[in-house]
Amino acid sequence: MAGMEVRVVTPDKVIYDGTAKTVVVRGMDGDFAIKKNHCPLIAPLGIGELKIVDENDKNKYVAVDGGIVEVSNNQVRVLSRDAILAEDIDIATVQMKLE
């Protein structure tokens, strides 16, 4: 494995399970990046965007509703109350809920 294992989960399902070179998360005090061989860490997450940069430098975005991130042994685990891949967001449904 060249990068890190990344898993984003909610109480209902696994949102993302794959590898990455970099993961950028929204912490309580701002965004921070996690790269290979990052020191062990457990931190609370704010509401916002999670960016996953894969081995081919392609970006994948996940909207997260808070939670925690755990980093250990090149594994990044994000546990969130609710999360959705950006590509799965249905704009029409979101607009209806906002109204």
Side-chain angles (χ1 to χ4, degrees), residues 17-98:
D17 191 7
T19 60
K21 287 175 33 177
T22 305
V23 178
V24 180
V25 298
R26 168 90 23 102
M28 298 305 290
D29 295 323
D31 294 353
F32 63 94
I34 301 163
K35 293 187 175 268
K36 188 173 181 179
N37 297 322
H38 195 286
C39 66
L41 165 78
I42 296 177
L45 295 177
I47 296 170
E49 178 182 272
L50 178 108
K51 177 179 165 184
I52 301 166
V53 182
D54 72 14
E55 301 295 325
N56 299 314
D57 292 323
K58 301 281 190 225
N59 297 335
K60 192 161 272 283
Y61 297 93
V62 181
V64 295
D65 183 16
I68 62 168
V69 60
E70 176 188 14
V71 181
S72 180
N73 297 320
N74 289 317
Q75 296 181 348
V76 179
R77 303 289 180 246
V78 175
L79 309 170
S80 180
R81 291 180 290 271
D82 195 17
I84 187 168
L85 284 169
E87 60 201 44
D88 293 339
I89 296 173
D90 180 359
I91 301 301
T93 302
V94 172
Q95 288 176 333
M96 280 181 16
K97 287 183 179 182
L98 287 173

